[in-house]
Amino acid sequence: MRKTMLYILFSTLMFSSMEIALKAAGGAFNPIQLNLIRFFIGGIVLLPIALKALAKQQHHLTRQDWALFALTGLVCVIISMTLYQLAITVDQASTVAVLFSCNPVFALIFSYLILHERLGRANLIAVVVSIIGLVIIVNPAHLTNPLGLALAIGSALTFGLYSIVSRWGSVRHHFNGITMTCFTFLAGSIELLVIMLLTHIPAVANGLNSVNGLQDFVAMPILKNVSLEYFWLLFFIGVCVTGGGFAFYFLAMERSDVSTASLVFFIKPGLAPILAALLLHERILTNTIVGIVVILIGSVITFMGNRVKARESQLAAKQAEMAASDFQSADETDGLDADLPHANTTTENDNY
């Protein structure tokens, strides 16, 4: 249990410092370029563990597997994380961190819409409470940065969609969390690299340049500033935050359960703004603090609901196992009783 808590602690620190590290690197790298670098490195870090898991399963990746990774890579790396990176560029790291932490709420909604999973009372309450927290932070009556808020909420929403698609795909194709995440990162990085290379084509570049606000996407750099000067920053973002954070999160999940490992995302809304205030000197508004508290309450409700649901599932599994055992014992007894008259008849005939 101590090792599990260490895994959760490391993942929490990495995920809570993610926005701060990306904000710090924003001046040296194009947002999309940084997205490519960190997910490619993260995928490489997870690759040995993923290959070991595939070898243990004796599973060879097929076209259908890569089609799944292409889909999850598109939703996660290209759509969700691009919106996330752009949100960090135009808004405060603390605000983006809190809003992005609401992605489990959107995942619950998508699980109901796509997988038709039943939402328990605790989950419904958590959804309502978290949405109230979002509204408090967004503060529609006094919008100061609508673009940043829209990008952050869009990122959280699409990451929630990715979580459900990933869960569906991992069950259907029998992949564990690390394998699914590793090849999602690598497939998404390849797709993103192709898109970035397309922006260097003169016709595409001219088209983007002619649209107001899209000039930053013209001829996007790929290796600019990838040098020893920024080595430790890229190492922290790629290896520690993206690769290590996800690796230890899934290791914690394997040693415990999903609800315990999800403590990472429930602590993040409270810890990330504190780190942003200390390291980036960001000022946290009163409505943001109130919204954080409300979202944390929603997170606690979600956590408790998940714990209860996990216990009910374990109890149902044990009851089913006991019922099957009793049924088997009854069958054996019936079979023995059925044999007894035949044995007695034989004995009587022999004596006669």
Side-chain angles (χ1 to χ4, degrees), residues 38 41-43 45-46 185 236-248:
R38 81 183 189 95
I41 295 175
V45 170
L46 296 175
F185 286 1
F236 180 74
I237 292 172
V239 177
C240 300
V241 174
T242 307
F246 277 97
F248 281 98

Side-chain angles (χ1 to χ4, degrees), residues 304-347:
M304 298 304 295
N306 287 341
R307 295 292 287 179
V308 171
K309 192 174 181 181
R311 286 175 190 157
E312 289 176 350
S313 298
Q314 290 176 357
L315 182 61
K318 285 182 180 178
Q319 288 176 343
E321 186 178 345
M322 290 175 63
S325 178
D326 291 343
F327 180 76
Q328 185 176 1
S329 299
D331 273 355
E332 291 174 355
T333 304
D334 290 344
L336 183 60
D337 290 342
D339 288 342
L340 284 176
H342 177 71
N344 290 338
T345 303
T346 306
T347 304

Side-chain angles (χ1 to χ4, degrees), residues 136-154:
I136 292 172
I137 293 173
V138 171
N139 193 10
H142 299 89
L143 281 176
T144 55
N145 191 346
L147 177 60
L149 294 172
L151 290 170
I153 294 174

Side-chain angles (χ1 to χ4, degrees), residues 48-203:
I49 309 174
L51 291 176
K52 185 177 179 181
L54 288 175
K56 189 175 180 180
Q57 292 178 304
Q58 296 183 336
H59 183 96
H60 299 283
L61 295 180
T62 63
R63 289 183 180 180
Q64 289 78 11
D65 295 333
W66 281 110
L68 172 65
F69 298 142
L71 175 62
T72 54
L74 172 68
V75 178
C76 176
V77 178
I78 295 180
I79 300 176
S80 178
M81 290 295 101
T82 295
L83 294 174
Y84 173 79
Q85 190 66 53
L86 292 172
I88 291 174
T89 303
V90 300
D91 208 340
Q92 290 194 134
S94 56
T95 304
V96 177
V98 174
L99 294 177
F100 183 75
S101 295
C102 291
N103 72 81
V105 174
F106 294 115
L108 284 173
I109 296 172
F110 282 121
S111 71
Y112 173 76
L113 295 174
I114 298 174
L115 302 181
H116 307 294
E117 294 182 353
R118 185 179 64 85
L119 292 180
R121 184 182 302 173
N123 288 335
L124 286 172
I125 295 172
V127 168
V128 173
V129 171
S130 299
I131 290 174
I132 292 172
L134 279 173
V135 172
I136 292 172
I137 293 173
V138 171
N139 193 10
H142 299 89
L143 281 176
T144 55
N145 191 346
L147 177 60
L149 294 172
L151 290 170
I153 294 174
S155 173
L157 191 149
T158 49
F159 194 84
L161 175 61
Y162 155 70
S163 300
I164 298 307
V165 174
S166 178
R167 189 201 306 173
W168 168 82
S170 62
V171 170
R172 182 163 181 163
H173 292 249
H174 308 291
F175 295 131
N176 64 15
I178 287 185
T179 303
M180 194 73 209
T181 304
C182 169
F183 288 103
T184 291
F185 286 1
L186 293 176
S189 298
I190 294 170
E191 291 170 325
L192 188 57
L193 176 62
V194 171
I195 292 173
M196 293 175 70
L197 290 173
L198 289 175
T199 65
H200 289 260
I201 298 174

